[in-house]
Amino acid sequence: MPAKKRQNDPATGKKNKKEKRGELAVINSDLRDEAVQKSMRDAWQRKESYANGNILLDCEPFPHCQITRFLQSESFVESLQAELLQLNFNSKSNDLYKFQQSDDLGERKEDHISQIRSVIFGEFRVWLSEVLQVDLEATVDISCAKYEHTDVLLCHDDELEGRRVAFILYLVPPWEVKDGGTLDLFSTDEHCQPVSVVKSLLPCWNSLVFFEVSPVSFHQVAEVLSEEKCRLSLSGWFHGPSLPRPSRYIEPPVPRHTHIPRDESLLFEWVNEMYLDPRYQARVQQEFEESSEICLATFLQVNMQSVPSCVQECWELLSSESFFILLSNLTGLRLHYLCGDEDESENEDGKSETENRGGEGNTQASASNTDADTSTTEKKDKGPPTCVGELRRWMHGDYTLLHDSVKREYALDLQLHMGCAGWKSEFGGFTSYIAHDEDEELLTVYPEDNSLALVYRDKDTLKFIKHINNSSSSQLSSQNTAAFYDFSFNYYE
């Protein structure tokens, strides 16, 4: 019988209220204790620790609470878990995470999922508002997440669209530290940036964790290492007035530099002679101009297994004047003053052509030429071609994220991988290129030993390195190493 009909029936109204209280009584009774609520409120405000039976409030590194027996009925929890496992899950993967998620658990039939929604949205929300003394809205985001082997949710702060309190209800089998999947909490620096994991909360059957969403609430779900267990949870956010946030901190950019004066003998010493053949360079340039990316296998003719001993020499190669010229020959980009600019030649031809035209067509062409002249002026105002680079070591757990604050501009990306023979895509560690504000992947560059990857990136293209998961450990161990390396350079016209 629908809830509205029961409420309008005077003969059964009293009974339905009892039934309602019976449903809500599935919550741990300790939460109704006024002394417990007062102690938790005081502890939250003072940022101290408070423990009472199955409730633990620990405000370091930021206010959070763990209730180890949230629902009193074990049969209810088991039925809830069974229903959640029957949901349709969608694989979610980007720079920040990899796991499976259900659709938002909206209005459903009278089942255990609808009941837990009613409990969380109703009584628990009211209780939480009183404890935190925050006016939480009646609408709540909630979904079901399933993490399996190598799934992960990397460091983030949950700040979005008025979220005030985050919560997670765990429905997991017996869980151990060796299984991974902990909820890791981070410390922060003076810029409210995450520094390191200072506390890890182990998922536990029928336990609920909640914390305040704030400028310092950085946390992550550590990679699930177990191949047998499933980390199932209900999670979401209560909405309310957001806490004040400081201005976004932007790291200072790494200084760029022009080429290092070195003669072409450096190229003959390091680079595979195939790529020094002008005819082969023309073929590479044609392919690059068609697709804006290319991968040059066996690029170096030196042994890079002893990386530390020749890092400086390889760095000088990639920064040298002769290498700038080689890149110009391979890509057609103007990375050296000796290289011609095809755009300028085309613009000059276009201008002389339109000078012989008259009438309305001449007006339109002149406008086009004005835009072209402006573009040419901008190029000339840029100054000499520059580059910035770094040598990176990659091992299990490493990754990069997309950053909205990064200046978007045209650039030639270079990656030269070493020590990653036999690398597989399922290990992660690949470079993913996506369009700004879109999830669709444009290009993937996989680590390939002694292979030079060149990608021309425009202003609307972003990139990240996918999290390297535990599956990579066996491959690296077979090579008696825990990591591989790459040179990552960006060249600017």
Side-chain angles (χ1 to χ4, degrees):
M1 184 182 296
K4 180 178 288 188
K5 186 173 182 179
R6 287 201 301 267
Q7 291 172 355
N8 294 334
D9 188 346
T12 60
K14 187 174 182 181
K15 180 181 178 181
N16 288 327
K17 288 180 180 179
K18 289 183 178 179
E19 289 176 351
K20 186 69 173 178
R21 287 198 296 270
E23 288 182 1
L24 297 181
V26 295
I27 294 183
N28 188 327
S29 59
D30 288 343
L31 298 180
R32 296 177 176 81
D33 189 300
E34 293 184 3
V36 170
Q37 294 184 17
K38 183 179 185 304
S39 297
M40 293 181 68
R41 183 184 304 115
D42 293 343
W44 193 285
Q45 293 174 349
R46 293 196 307 266
K47 297 180 181 289
E48 296 177 358
S49 296
Y50 170 76
N52 181 74
N54 296 314
I55 303 172
L56 174 66
L57 180 71
D58 189 350
C59 296
E60 294 296 338
F62 56 81
H64 61 278
C65 179
Q66 184 172 22
I67 304 172
T68 57
R69 190 169 62 87
F70 180 64
L71 303 174
Q72 293 191 35
S73 172
E74 281 295 314
S75 60
F76 180 91
V77 181
E78 291 171 357
S79 299
L80 175 63
Q81 180 195 47
E83 287 182 5
L84 291 173
L85 288 173
Q86 296 301 314
L87 296 174
N88 293 322
F89 287 85
N90 302 313
S91 295
K92 310 281 288 184
S93 181
N94 62 11
D95 61 317
L96 187 63
Y97 49 70
K98 183 176 85 74
F99 63 97
Q100 297 178 65
Q101 185 179 46
S102 71
D103 294 329
D104 185 76
L105 304 180
E107 295 299 326
R108 301 176 61 85
K109 298 178 181 178
E110 291 296 324
D111 53 18
H112 293 81
I113 295 178
S114 64
Q115 290 182 51
I116 193 64
R117 276 181 54 89
S118 176
V119 168
I120 292 176
F121 291 9
E123 185 188 24
F124 182 69
R125 177 184 59 83
V126 173
W127 174 87
L128 197 59
S129 294
E130 293 175 353
V131 171
L132 303 185
Q133 295 184 337
V134 175
D135 185 17
L136 298 178
E137 300 173 7
T139 56
V140 183
D141 296 329
I142 185 171
S143 62
C144 183
K146 185 167 62 174
Y147 290 77
E148 297 177 330
H149 183 234
T150 73
D151 286 348
V152 66
L153 174 58
L154 302 171
C155 180
H156 63 291
D157 64 2
D158 268 5
E159 177 70 15
L160 184 67
E161 299 173 358
R163 295 173 180 173
R164 183 59 188 268
V165 177
F167 66 89
I168 311 103
L169 173 62
Y170 295 111
L171 301 164
V172 297
W175 207 270
E176 302 177 70
V177 174
K178 66 180 182 180
D179 297 324
T182 54
L183 177 63
D184 296 335
L185 310 182
F186 285 75
S187 62
T188 52
D189 60 18
E190 67 275 15
H191 303 295
C192 294
Q193 298 298 298
V195 177
S196 61
V197 174
V198 292
K199 189 176 184 65
S200 295
L201 305 178
L202 197 66
C204 180
W205 171 259
N206 189 20
S207 68
L208 182 135
V209 174
F210 64 88
F211 58 85
E212 197 170 30
V213 176
S214 73
V216 297
S217 58
F218 285 97
H219 59 284
Q220 69 176 11
V221 176
E223 180 185 352
V224 174
L225 304 179
S226 172
E227 297 185 19
E228 296 82 25
K229 299 179 182 180
C230 170
R231 186 187 187 278
L232 186 71
S233 65
L234 276 175
S235 59
W237 300 270
F238 295 96
H239 291 257
S242 300
L243 292 174
R245 295 184 67 87
S247 301
R248 173 178 292 183
Y249 174 70
I250 300 177
E251 296 182 5
V254 179
R256 301 175 185 177
H257 61 87
T258 56
H259 60 69
I260 302 173
R262 295 290 187 275
D263 59 36
E264 63 180 7
S265 62
L266 191 64
L267 295 181
F268 289 98
E269 179 183 352
W270 279 79
V271 180
N272 187 327
E273 61 182 10
M274 174 175 61
Y275 298 114
L276 302 179
D277 185 334
R279 292 170 298 181
Y280 195 80
Q281 290 177 0
R283 290 169 51 189
V284 170
Q285 182 180 137
Q286 181 179 0
E287 182 177 341
F288 181 85
E289 290 176 343
E290 291 175 355
S291 61
S292 295
E293 60 92 13
I294 198 165
C295 190
L296 305 179
T298 60
F299 185 74
L300 299 180
Q301 61 182 354
V302 298
N303 181 13
M304 290 298 291
Q305 297 306 313
S306 56
V307 171
S309 64
C310 57
V311 166
Q312 185 60 40
E313 295 178 29
C314 190
W315 186 280
E316 289 188 6
L317 167 71
L318 301 177
S319 304
S320 67
E321 180 176 10
S322 53
F323 195 79
F324 271 61
I325 296 175
L326 175 62
L327 287 177
S328 296
N329 294 338
L330 293 174
T331 64
L333 299 174
R334 193 171 186 273
L335 295 173
H336 194 275
Y337 71 92
L338 292 178
C339 303
D341 192 330
E342 295 182 0
D343 292 339
E344 289 183 2
S345 301
E346 292 176 359
N347 290 336
E348 289 176 1
D349 292 341
K351 184 176 181 180
S352 59
E353 198 171 288
T354 54
E355 281 176 349
N356 296 325
R357 295 183 186 150
E360 184 179 350
N362 186 42
T363 303
Q364 295 174 351
S366 297
S368 175
N369 284 328
T370 300
D371 293 339
D373 291 342
T374 302
S375 175
T376 303
T377 302
E378 290 178 354
K379 287 186 177 181
K380 290 180 179 178
D381 291 343
K382 286 182 180 179
T386 58
C387 74
V388 60
E390 55 186 350
L391 173 66
R392 306 183 294 190
R393 182 184 67 178
W394 296 102
M395 54 196 308
H396 173 219
D398 290 343
Y399 63 92
T400 67
L401 296 178
L402 299 174
H403 292 282
D404 295 334
S405 59
V406 173
K407 180 183 178 181
R408 299 201 302 271
E409 55 188 319
Y410 293 92
L412 175 66
D413 295 339
L414 176 150
Q415 274 186 281
L416 178 60
H417 293 97
M418 297 156 287
C420 54
W423 194 262
K424 298 180 181 179
S425 59
E426 56 264 32
F427 297 163
F430 53 81
T431 304
S432 179
Y433 286 84
I434 65 171
H436 180 60
D437 287 339
E438 295 184 17
D439 294 331
E440 183 179 357
E441 193 172 53
L442 303 174
L443 174 68
T444 305
V445 177
Y446 295 98
E448 186 176 338
D449 205 33
N450 192 17
S451 179
L452 187 78
L454 299 175
V455 178
Y456 188 64
R457 172 168 45 90
D458 63 23
K459 292 182 178 181
D460 293 322
T461 303
L462 305 174
K463 63 176 180 175
F464 65 89
I465 308 293
K466 187 65 176 178
H467 174 264
I468 299 177
N469 60 54
N470 187 58
S471 300
S472 64
S473 302
S474 58
Q475 178 64 29
L476 292 171
S477 297
S478 66
Q479 302 179 52
N480 297 318
T481 181
F484 69 88
Y485 299 83
D486 75 354
F487 281 99
S488 175
F489 272 68
N490 310 116
Y491 298 86
Y492 304 91
E493 292 183 282

